[in-house]
């Protein structure tokens, strides 16, 4: 492995293709089988290169790999097809950068599956519920509503789920996903339609999951989690695409919606951790080499690979059950405050997307239809109009893509495009991506100032951990508008709606 | 070592080192873009590992609010030193995340088998209680990212990134 190259030497491997696109040439790191690409605008470009410069300078004591290197390390994995891609919100993660997309040819016996390419929080994702309420209906009871949501939905460190469940229920939920929620009365039948995989990955097998994961998962089902997870009451701020918005039941500015961002909690993390341990052993056994220990992987068709995929499917199902539970609790909170029913409030699920998942999908590669295992870590599927896997009501407008912004800024709804299908296997960004470290945020931001600023913006906030307020402040993140606009400019997704929060519930 | 009659005692003495009984704090949290990097150290590697575990708990709540009312034991088994640190921390994370939802004020390693990469440790703390312990930041997982174990220096520095 070449020792610290100078920053200028690194630049020799980087090519600017157009205003928003850079290529990372083979040789940037050893063993690259394909090139890497990343999408940026001027601001985001600066952040990427600053990070690379710092890395070239550092002695390596306590340091970490910049996102650009990680994108390249992924390009060195066996069986990777066409390119390793960094979306505009890309930032350094474990093995794979967050916002890193990579697809592997399932018919290639060398091709691998990597838990790092999915993320620890398997099926961390976002869903959006609409209502028929308007901002002026909600403003007078905003605090009451935020409090009701906060009281109904367990949040933060050490919180436990309120929906009664035993070990047997958990095992069923792991295999059935949203079908379990439907059976138990926590979801509406229409919810299934508007969810990736219809809320259930069919290859889930609860016997592939260790008891540690189940023990961690059971108390946490139906909890929001902490960190960057949240539930937000938002209003429609801008409509860019009338037709697509109407298909989603959004027809005017000021319409109230609810966004939930959460994942598979400790369950998913344990599944990922257990898989990493098993795969490390398998890699030693099969002599598989990667550039980074966190890029632990296994041949897709090996026992370890298959075991992981089954466990990952269980974790995905867990997250869908989780989001369904919180949907149920949110519907209850609204119904209570408005003294009516969720049905009368038309609280339908617009869509639910995953941004940490691996999917088996058909794509055209070099003119041929090929089955790929697409790893989307911190990136979202964005299928175009007419794609068979998206619901009937979105066939003409394209798959809705939900992009959660940071606390108190804004969020977006996008739609998938044909260009995205060609360029990035139907993938776009997932959110803002961090700019500042948590420690830096804590040092430079004042808790009261952040809260005051949110109050000035008219945003009610309920948060379990005060420290998190600084860590999650908008200043700590890249600008989600920049990220979304870059994707739009590149053509891999199209803006449909901009949303503005009026209440935030966090862990 | 057990707490008889479980009463909070700031003069409680820990382990064989018997360094006087105050809680030492040989850890800090370092800059990392998305998560947190724990840096711990000690007079030997054992202490650096112990402090790493305490540092992890310290991120999840205000550690001073945790009283050593109970003990809990964990065991970790691995193939190499990095794997061992990973498993050691993961066992404590698991003790917190599932029954008994244990949070430790202090952790002492009672067996550190370097040949076979095994650690047996004891935590002094209590069951996490939302009404008593402020909610800090949840630790989702231990990672190998930028993990470093430096035995060659007197301070035995250990670095590990925790996924938040």
């Amino acid at each position: 492995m070449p020792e610290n190259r100078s920053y200028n030497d690194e630049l020799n491997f980087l090519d600017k293709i157009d205003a928003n696109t850079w290529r990372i040439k083979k040789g940037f790191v050893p063993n690259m089988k394909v090139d890497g690409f990343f999408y940026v605008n001027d601001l985001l470009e600066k952040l990427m290169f600053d990070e690379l410069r710092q890395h070239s300078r550092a002695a390596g004591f306590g340091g970490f790999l910049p996102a650009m290197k990680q994108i390249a390390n992924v390009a060195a994995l066996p069986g990777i097809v066409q390119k390793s891609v960094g979306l505009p919100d890309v930032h350094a993660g474990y093995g794979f950068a967050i916002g890193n997309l990579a697809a592997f040819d399932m018919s290639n016996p060398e091709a691998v599956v990597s838990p790092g390419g999915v993320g620890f929080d398997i099926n961390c994702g976002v869903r959006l519920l609409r209502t028929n309420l308007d901002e002026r209906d909600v403003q007078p009871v905003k605090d009451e509503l935020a409090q009701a949501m906060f009281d109904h939905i367990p949040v933060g460190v050490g919180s436990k789920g309120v929906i009664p469940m035993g070990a047997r229920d958990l095992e069923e939920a792991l295999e059935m996903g949203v079908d379990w929620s439907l059976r138990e009365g926590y979801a509406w039948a229409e919810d299934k339609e508007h969810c990736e995989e219809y809320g259930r990955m069919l290859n889930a097998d609860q016997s592939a999951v260790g008891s540690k994961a189940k023990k961690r998962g059971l108390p946490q089902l139906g909890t929001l989690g902490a960190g960057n997870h949240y539930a937000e009451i938002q209003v429609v701020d801008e409509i860019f695409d009338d037709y697509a918005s109407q298909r989603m039941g959004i027809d005017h500015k000021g319409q109230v919606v609810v966004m939930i961002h959460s994942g598979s909690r400790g369950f998913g993390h344990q599944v990922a951790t257990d898989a990493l341990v098993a795969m490390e052993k398998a890699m030693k056994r099969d002599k598989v080499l990667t550039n980074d220990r966190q890029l632990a992987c296994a041949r897709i068709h090996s026992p370890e690979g298959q075991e992981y995929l089954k466990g990952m499917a269980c974790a995905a199902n867990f997250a869908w059950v989780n989001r369904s539970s919180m949907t149920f609790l949110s519907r209850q909170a609204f119904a209570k405050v408005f003294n009516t029913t969720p049905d009368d409030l038309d609280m339908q699920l617009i869509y639910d997307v995953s941004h940490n998942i691996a999917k088996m999908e058909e794509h055209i590669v070099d003119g041929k239809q090929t089955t790929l295992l697409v790893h989307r870590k911190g990136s979202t599927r964005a299928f175009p109009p007419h794609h068979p896997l998206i619901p009937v009501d979105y066939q003409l407008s394209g798959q809705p893509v939900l992009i959660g912004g940071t606390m108190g800024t804004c969020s977006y709804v996008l739609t998938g495009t044909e260009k995205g299908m060609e360029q990035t296997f139907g993938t776009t960004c997932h959110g803002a991506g961090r700019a500042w470290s948590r420690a830096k945020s804590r040092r430079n931001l004042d808790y009261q100032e952040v809260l005051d600023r949110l109050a000035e913006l008219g945003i009610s906030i309920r948060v379990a951990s005060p420290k998190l307020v600084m860590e999650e402040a908008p200043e700590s993140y890249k600008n989600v508008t920049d990220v979304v606009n870059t994707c739009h400019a590149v053509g891999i997704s199209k803006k449909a709606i901009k949303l503005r929060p009026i209440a935030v519930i966090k862990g | 070592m057990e707490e008889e009659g479980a009463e909070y005692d700031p003069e409680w003495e820990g382990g064989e080192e018997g360094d006087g009984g105050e809680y030492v704090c040989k850890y800090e949290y370092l800059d990392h873009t998305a998560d947190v990097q724990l840096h711990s150290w000690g007079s030997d590697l054992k202490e650096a590992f112990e402090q790493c575990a305490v540092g992890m708990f310290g991120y999840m709540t205000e550690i001073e609010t945790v009283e050593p009312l109970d003990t809990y034991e964990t065991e970790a088994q691995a193939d190499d030193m990095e794997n061992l640190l990973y498993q050691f921390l993961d066992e404590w994370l698991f003790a917190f995340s599932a029954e008994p939802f244990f949070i430790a004020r202090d952790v002492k390693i009672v067996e550190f088998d370097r040949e076979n990469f095994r650690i047996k440790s004891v935590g002094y703390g209590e069951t996490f209680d939302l009404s008593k312990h402020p909610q800090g930041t949840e630790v989702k997982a231990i990672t190998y990212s930028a993990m470093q174990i430096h035995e060659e220096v007197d301070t035995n520095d250990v670095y590990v990134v925790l996924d938040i």
Side-chain angles (χ1 to χ4, degrees):
Chain A
M1 188 67 142
E3 278 315 308
N4 270 337
R5 216 183 256 141
S6 77
Y7 177 66
N8 285 329
D9 287 342
E10 301 279 34
L11 293 179
N12 289 333
F13 291 91
L14 301 166
D15 254 343
K16 189 160 185 167
I17 308 224
D18 61 42
N20 298 111
T21 316
W22 281 81
R23 181 205 306 266
I24 303 170
K25 292 192 286 204
K26 292 187 204 166
F28 189 63
V29 300
N31 310 315
M32 284 173 74
K33 300 171 173 59
V34 294
D35 287 336
F37 287 85
F38 59 95
Y39 299 111
V40 284
N41 64 3
D42 292 335
L43 268 162
L44 300 168
E45 184 181 285
K46 186 172 181 319
L47 282 169
M48 284 291 271
F49 281 88
D50 279 347
E51 197 187 44
L52 181 66
R53 194 182 287 110
Q54 269 185 41
H55 169 80
S56 300
R57 267 207 290 256
F61 206 90
F64 57 93
L65 283 177
M68 241 186 264
K69 286 283 177 184
Q70 293 192 318
I71 294 169
N73 282 338
V74 167
L77 290 174
I80 188 168
V81 167
Q82 270 183 20
K83 50 175 87 156
S84 167
V85 178
L87 283 309
D89 46 356
V90 71
H91 63 271
Y94 307 114
F96 279 64
I98 296 164
N100 198 164
L101 153 81
F104 296 80
D105 185 351
M106 291 197 68
S107 65
N108 179 347
E110 304 274 296
V112 295
V113 57
S114 176
V118 169
F120 278 107
D121 194 355
I122 297 170
N123 193 8
C124 182
V126 182
R127 59 170 43 192
L128 191 65
L129 309 172
R130 64 167 183 258
T131 71
N132 53 19
L133 294 166
D134 192 270
E135 188 173 5
R136 49 167 188 272
D137 302 318
V138 168
Q139 278 295 349
V141 292
K142 202 177 53 175
D143 274 325
E144 202 189 321
L145 203 45
Q147 193 61 48
M149 299 260 296
F150 192 70
D151 291 338
H152 276 69
I153 299 174
V155 302
V157 179
S159 59
K160 300 206 197 123
V162 295
I163 293 175
M165 270 198 115
R168 194 53 214 290
D169 296 308
L170 180 66
E171 287 176 357
E172 286 179 349
L174 294 178
E175 291 190 346
M176 293 171 66
V178 168
D179 283 340
W180 182 88
S181 303
L182 198 53
R183 188 188 79 184
E184 299 294 309
Y186 298 123
W188 295 350
E190 308 90 287
D191 294 349
K192 257 179 75 87
E193 270 295 303
H194 291 139
C195 188
E196 285 188 37
E197 309 293 312
Y198 303 107
R200 174 181 186 171
M201 283 187 111
L202 296 171
N203 62 323
D205 179 354
Q206 61 83 23
S207 65
V209 175
S211 63
K212 245 181 160 182
K214 289 174 183 170
K215 287 194 181 126
R216 273 184 85 175
L218 188 51
Q220 293 184 332
L221 198 56
T223 64
L224 185 60
N228 62 3
H229 291 161
Y230 57 77
E232 278 189 2
I233 302 171
Q234 305 172 336
V235 302
V236 173
D237 198 51
E238 240 186 290
I239 295 178
F240 304 104
D241 184 341
D242 283 317
Y243 179 68
S245 308
Q246 274 167 32
R247 301 305 319 162
M248 301 180 209
I250 300 291
D251 55 19
H252 69 280
K253 287 206 264 200
Q255 187 171 350
V256 173
V257 296
V258 178
M259 183 176 271
I260 296 168
H261 173 212
S262 184
S264 52
R265 313 287 284 97
F267 182 82
H269 295 105
Q270 197 65 51
V271 167
T273 300
D274 292 345
L276 285 173
V277 170
M279 286 183 183
E280 272 195 14
K281 293 205 172 88
M283 283 168 78
K284 280 193 180 133
R285 177 193 73 206
D286 300 335
K287 301 193 179 39
V288 177
L289 292 168
T290 61
N291 294 345
D292 180 359
R293 186 171 187 160
Q294 288 277 142
L295 277 175
C297 58
R299 309 280 180 212
I300 294 174
H301 302 287
S302 69
E304 291 80 12
Q306 288 297 304
E307 188 91 338
Y308 170 67
L309 286 169
K310 289 181 194 163
M312 187 203 78
C314 287
N317 290 346
F318 183 103
W320 280 313
V321 170
N322 214 30
R323 289 202 282 280
S324 295
S325 304
M326 285 187 282
T327 301
F328 172 72
L329 295 168
S330 302
R331 284 171 174 155
Q332 294 296 303
F334 268 71
K336 183 167 140 193
V337 170
F338 288 97
N339 202 24
T340 176
T341 68
D343 217 2
D344 282 336
L345 291 173
D346 189 35
M347 289 186 77
Q348 292 283 350
L349 176 63
I350 291 177
Y351 207 63
D352 178 308
V353 293
S354 304
H355 51 238
N356 269 4
I357 197 98
K359 295 281 194 84
M360 286 178 258
E361 289 172 0
E362 303 293 312
H363 289 273
I364 308 292
V365 177
D366 298 330
K368 251 179 42 173
Q369 179 163 323
T370 316
T371 309
L372 301 177
L373 184 62
V374 184
H375 290 60
R376 293 193 179 93
K377 174 178 179 172
S379 55
T380 317
R381 192 187 77 177
F383 278 168
H386 309 295
H387 195 287
L389 292 181
I390 63 181
V392 157
D393 35 351
Y394 300 138
Q395 277 289 307
L396 296 180
S397 50
Q399 180 213 310
V401 180
L402 309 170
I403 305 296
T406 53
M407 184 175 73
T409 59
C410 55
S411 302
Y412 286 87
V413 182
L414 316 175
T415 52
T417 62
E418 249 334 299
K419 181 147 187 227
M421 203 61 185
E422 293 157 30
Q423 294 278 314
T424 57
F425 301 119
T427 308
T428 190
C429 60
H430 81 299
R434 289 197 68 95
W436 283 3
S437 72
R438 291 177 184 275
K440 184 172 178 185
S441 304
R442 288 192 196 188
R443 282 197 302 270
N444 295 358
L445 300 169
D446 177 66
Y447 161 71
Q448 198 52 54
E449 270 176 36
V450 177
L451 284 185
D452 289 344
R453 207 166 18 242
L454 290 173
E456 269 169 51
L457 293 169
I459 301 172
S460 285
I461 173 160
R462 295 288 181 281
V463 60
S465 164
K467 276 193 277 188
L468 211 58
V469 166
M470 289 97 76
E471 292 179 12
E472 293 295 319
E475 293 86 340
S476 312
Y477 282 83
K478 295 180 186 173
N479 184 322
V480 67
T481 302
D482 274 345
V483 170
V484 161
N485 283 342
T486 305
C487 291
H488 188 97
V490 171
I492 57 179
S493 55
K494 246 176 75 177
K495 294 195 302 194
I497 306 168
K498 180 176 174 199
L499 302 164
R500 168 175 52 87
I502 55 174
V504 179
I505 292 95
K506 285 190 69 65
Chain B
M1 201 175 131
E2 290 208 339
E3 287 302 308
E4 298 285 297
E7 280 221 292
Y8 179 54
D9 179 9
E11 298 310 310
W12 167 84
E13 288 199 28
E16 293 92 327
E17 298 87 355
D19 60 357
E22 288 166 337
Y23 291 117
V24 294
C25 176
K26 293 186 180 176
Y27 59 85
E28 61 176 357
Y29 306 112
L30 296 179
D31 264 21
H32 184 280
T33 322
D35 300 306
V36 69
Q37 187 172 43
L38 253 184
H39 171 212
S40 69
W41 56 92
S43 48
D44 55 21
L45 194 64
K46 183 159 88 77
E47 191 177 18
F49 270 44
E50 290 167 351
Q51 287 296 306
C52 208
V54 179
M56 182 179 76
F57 284 119
Y59 209 72
M60 300 195 277
T61 187
E62 303 292 332
I63 201 82
E64 301 76 28
T65 61
V66 180
E67 299 181 82
L69 304 175
D70 253 313
T71 61
Y72 189 74
E73 284 178 26
T74 64
E75 267 185 56
Q77 174 79 64
D79 304 314
D80 58 45
M81 197 52 91
E82 285 190 349
N83 193 207
L84 183 57
L85 175 62
Y86 183 93
Q87 299 279 24
F88 166 66
L89 292 173
D90 194 47
E91 286 297 327
W92 281 113
L93 182 60
F94 182 64
F96 173 79
S97 310
E99 285 288 349
F101 307 107
F102 190 82
I103 186 145
R105 177 64 184 86
D106 200 5
V107 172
K108 290 290 176 227
I109 293 176
V110 293
E111 255 180 60
F112 198 147
D113 182 348
R114 308 177 60 133
E115 307 289 303
N116 299 303
F117 302 109
R118 272 183 63 236
I119 286 179
K120 256 186 163 160
S121 54
V122 178
Y124 300 88
E126 49 181 319
T127 298
F128 189 78
D129 180 353
L130 273 172
S131 61
K132 175 178 182 183
H133 306 117
Q135 287 178 297
T137 311
E138 182 174 52
V139 173
K140 293 183 188 169
I142 319 299
T143 78
Y144 280 113
S145 178
M147 181 185 279
Q148 296 180 37
I149 301 172
H150 290 280
E151 276 193 89
E152 70 280 6
V153 292
D154 289 334
T155 41
N156 299 285
D157 299 89
V158 167
Y159 296 89
V160 63
V161 175
L162 303 179
D163 187 1
I164 308 210

